[in-house]
Amino acid sequence: MAMTASSNLDNSRTGDAFTTVKKCLVLFGVIGVVVLGTVAATAFAGQQTTPFMWIRAVIFPALAPLFLRMTARAEAGSYEAFGRLRTISTVMPIAVIGVDLIPGICPPWYAALQGLSALAVLPVAFLTRSGALKAAFPKR
């Protein structure tokens, strides 16, 4: 059985933090859809696209519902879901921006759009380390 968080989840600051986390993850998904649409429009216009661009453009919007589900589980008290959300929101922006900085891997416009989606996740990393959420999920 999964360990659950303390009764601090009933705190309004905790609820507000989770509301903001969800908004950031929805924004991440919306930006992902915009990136996918832009890649499709670029390909349709006869411009060059790469498998890397397509794969990542498809994966990011697909991740958003998974992240939101993870957030819902964390909000319901799952310490494991909270830990995963915390880790993913920290690693993902660094990895996305780091890969985009590799010369020649993608065009600048694509790197900029993907960077925006990564920046939408960055506040989640800070919120999962904020006082309200740290209090709701004390170390075991």
Side-chain angles (χ1 to χ4, degrees):
M1 180 171 207
M3 291 190 72
T4 58
S6 68
S7 62
N8 290 335
L9 283 172
D10 297 329
N11 181 325
S12 68
R13 283 184 47 216
T14 303
D16 291 346
F18 273 119
T19 298
T20 303
V21 165
K22 288 184 251 181
K23 288 178 182 177
C24 290
L25 295 174
V26 167
L27 179 59
F28 167 75
V30 168
I31 295 170
V33 170
V34 168
V35 172
L36 179 58
T38 304
V39 170
T42 301
F44 185 74
Q47 301 298 314
Q48 181 181 359
T49 58
T50 64
F52 170 81
M53 293 166 63
W54 278 103
I55 291 167
R56 214 156 96 175
V58 168
I59 289 174
F60 279 24
L63 288 175
L66 299 175
F67 292 165
L68 286 167
R69 182 170 181 225
M70 195 180 308
T71 302
R73 289 185 53 224
E75 191 173 22
S78 171
Y79 189 88
E80 288 78 13
F82 178 73
R84 286 185 198 110
L85 182 64
R86 196 173 172 177
T87 301
I88 288 168
S89 66
T90 302
V91 172
M92 188 172 183
I94 295 167
V96 168
I97 292 169
V99 169
D100 286 345
L101 290 176
I102 297 172
I105 199 155
C106 59
W109 65 265
Y110 184 84
L113 287 175
Q114 289 285 292
L116 285 175
S117 68
L119 290 178
V121 176
L122 194 57
V124 176
F126 288 105
L127 287 166
T128 56
R129 285 162 176 74
S130 70
L133 293 182
K134 279 173 67 173
F137 292 94
K139 292 190 180 199
R140 296 189 234 190

